[in-house]
Amino acid sequence: METHSQIVLASRPSGTPTSKNFRVETGPIPAAADGQVLLRTKYLSLDPYMRGRMNDAKSYATPVSIGGIMEGEVVAEVLKSKHPDYRQGDLVQGRIGWRTHAAVEPTDLKRVETGGNPVTTALGVLGMPGFTAYSGMKVIGQPKPGETVVVAAASGPVGSLVGQLAQLSGARAIGIAGGPEKCTYVRDELKFDAVIDHRADDMPEALAKSCPDGIDVYFENVGGPIWQAVLPLLNRYARIPACGLIAHYNGPGATEQDSLSSTMLAMVRRSLLMRGFINTEFVDDHYDDFMRDLSPLVASGRIRYREDIVDGLNNAPEAFIGMLSGRNFGKLLIRVS
């Protein structure tokens, strides 16, 4: 008999999460009540924001409770429907968390729509990461022809699209990635104008050399030493969309510099615009444009993307821990069924 599995938060991490912070629970598959649908998860998306959900701290979203199912968006198949708008076999996406099955009311579900692209793109280049890149660039970054755009984690699902969108706008795209393999991918497959290895000892000097006219847009999703290298190069009126700081999610490093004063002075002296954002702020005004603009570009191959797929829900904790240290290569997904 098929059983149901879910992964819950067993304890709150102190610093980098470990496998002991997670617990696998099993049991009978839930039954759909009237007005509900029974879902079987096909793919689970693993994303850096989940690290913040593990902390008991005030944020833009409620943290996961101890014993609660880990937060996450999935693509799932409807196994049984007791709701008039859905039928068996429909593919839907929604935030049902790290579990193989769920019986839920479909209030927060939507049908998977990828414009003919693979279903996994609904969680990546045509999903939350892609929309984060698109909306941050369109609303805040606003790159112009001839400008220089820099993005870290350039081989990842957000950074890879940021650079390609920059080039579509006529700007130069400079990517920062970790290690020769990822840098080669950014340069040779994504076709960025230049790529810098953040693990190299001369990273700040290499970045400055690749940006002889300074930086007009820096898409911030990492922080840490990369921000320290970017800050002196920002031009007057530069724009900084900030969607994440993965270098800081596990707490401050032993050698981490306090850059608050230097950042604030630069913002005043060079009239910099930095805005933090959550992609959901822009859904009402820009999501339809995102799907209309990006779906055909992905289908044609003009927008390129990479996925890192791990099999088995039980492998989600280790894959997630590895992602926080950059071990994944592309959009990280768990193939659940």
Side-chain angles (χ1 to χ4, degrees):
M1 179 182 295
E2 192 175 8
T3 59
H4 160 264
S5 295
Q6 62 186 26
I7 296 178
V8 304
L9 182 65
S11 60
R12 300 202 185 280
S14 176
T16 303
T18 71
S19 58
K20 294 181 179 179
N21 298 129
F22 304 91
R23 184 174 66 248
V24 178
E25 298 180 341
T26 60
I29 294 176
D34 289 342
Q36 291 187 329
V37 292
L38 174 62
L39 304 177
R40 178 171 59 200
T41 300
K42 296 181 72 67
Y43 292 95
L44 164 68
S45 175
L46 296 183
D47 299 283
Y49 77 84
M50 296 171 177
R51 175 61 185 85
R53 300 287 202 278
M54 299 175 76
N55 295 336
D56 187 12
K58 185 177 181 180
S59 185
Y60 61 88
T62 303
V64 177
S65 60
I66 299 298
I69 300 170
M70 283 293 297
E71 162 86 13
E73 186 176 18
V74 310
V75 164
E77 178 185 2
V78 175
L79 291 182
K80 187 172 183 179
S81 177
K82 291 189 175 181
H83 191 282
D85 294 340
Y86 293 88
R87 61 183 180 180
Q88 183 178 355
D90 284 348
L91 286 180
V92 298
Q93 64 186 103
R95 296 185 177 278
I96 71 167
W98 296 23
R99 47 182 167 172
T100 59
H101 300 80
V104 297
E105 295 181 1
T107 308
D108 296 322
L109 298 178
K110 63 179 180 179
R111 285 184 171 81
V112 173
E113 296 180 3
T114 62
N117 291 292
V119 65
T120 51
T121 60
L123 298 174
V125 66
L126 294 177
M128 181 273 290
F131 185 63
T132 297
Y134 178 90
S135 59
M137 288 288 277
K138 184 173 184 178
V139 179
I140 306 166
Q142 300 183 9
K144 301 175 181 60
E147 289 191 328
T148 296
V149 175
V150 174
V151 63
S155 66
V158 176
S160 60
L161 183 55
V162 165
Q164 293 178 83
L165 292 173
Q167 290 181 321
L168 286 171
S169 72
R172 295 179 68 237
I174 311 299
I176 303 173
E181 185 180 13
K182 290 182 179 180
C183 288
T184 297
Y185 168 72
V186 172
R187 182 185 63 244
D188 295 347
E189 295 191 42
L190 298 182
K191 307 296 183 183
F192 278 33
D193 296 282
V195 60
I196 312 300
D197 189 343
H198 71 74
R199 297 176 182 171
D201 293 336
D202 66 343
M203 184 269 287
E205 293 79 12
L207 180 62
K209 186 176 180 180
S210 295
C211 304
D213 298 321
I215 298 171
D216 301 291
V217 179
Y218 174 57
F219 198 103
E220 177 63 286
N221 54 9
V222 173
I226 293 177
W227 173 249
Q228 299 287 347
V230 166
L231 184 59
L233 304 177
L234 292 169
N235 289 330
R236 188 171 181 82
Y237 304 122
R239 289 85 68 197
I240 306 106
C243 75
L245 293 169
I246 194 170
H248 304 270
Y249 287 169
N250 290 326
T255 60
E256 189 172 304
Q257 299 180 39
D258 182 357
S259 60
L260 177 60
S261 59
S262 57
T263 296
M264 296 298 288
L265 283 169
M267 291 180 70
V268 173
R269 291 170 177 170
R270 283 178 261 159
S271 300
L272 306 179
L273 172 65
M274 175 183 280
R275 177 177 171 182
F277 73 101
I278 308 301
N279 73 89
T280 51
E281 300 170 26
F282 303 131
V283 167
D284 289 346
D285 293 332
H286 299 288
Y287 186 80
D288 289 344
D289 290 344
F290 161 68
M291 290 300 295
R292 185 195 65 231
D293 293 347
L294 267 291
S295 292
L297 293 174
V298 172
S300 70
R302 176 62 184 84
I303 292 293
R304 295 167 290 277
Y305 67 97
R306 182 183 177 114
E307 297 171 337
D308 188 341
I309 300 178
V310 176
D311 284 307
L313 181 66
N314 286 4
N315 292 318
E318 288 303 318
F320 174 71
I321 293 166
M323 176 190 66
L324 295 175
S325 62
R327 292 207 301 265
N328 63 300
F329 192 171
K331 176 69 192 87
L332 184 57
L333 300 168
I334 300 296
R335 182 161 37 215
V336 179
S337 65

